[in-house]
Amino acid sequence: MEKGMTKSRHVCYEEYSRKLEKRLEVEKQREREYKEAKMLVAGMDGQIAK
């Protein structure tokens, strides 16, 4: 988990767990990426059905 957090978010887990600002920043980024992926999948589903 430590390696993944550092690679994808450029924040070590210790800093993530200690600093509220970093945690909020990371969670906002995750939410943004989730929504983008969801829209991408919805778009692909629409293209496949045609």
Side-chain angles (χ1 to χ4, degrees):
M1 187 162 145
E2 174 72 28
K3 231 179 196 180
M5 176 76 80
T6 304
K7 275 187 169 184
S8 65
R9 309 284 179 223
H10 306 289
V11 176
C12 68
Y13 186 76
E14 184 179 340
E15 185 178 359
Y16 170 83
S17 63
R18 227 181 320 137
K19 295 185 178 180
L20 178 61
E21 288 178 17
K22 284 290 182 183
R23 191 177 310 165
L24 291 174
E25 183 181 318
V26 167
E27 293 305 321
K28 283 180 184 178
Q29 184 180 11
R30 282 183 180 170
E31 183 70 23
R32 201 170 38 247
E33 289 173 359
Y34 171 76
K35 287 179 181 178
E36 288 173 5
K38 198 170 181 180
M39 287 176 55
L40 180 65
V41 168
M44 292 176 78
D45 283 345
Q47 289 179 354
I48 293 172
K50 291 181 180 179

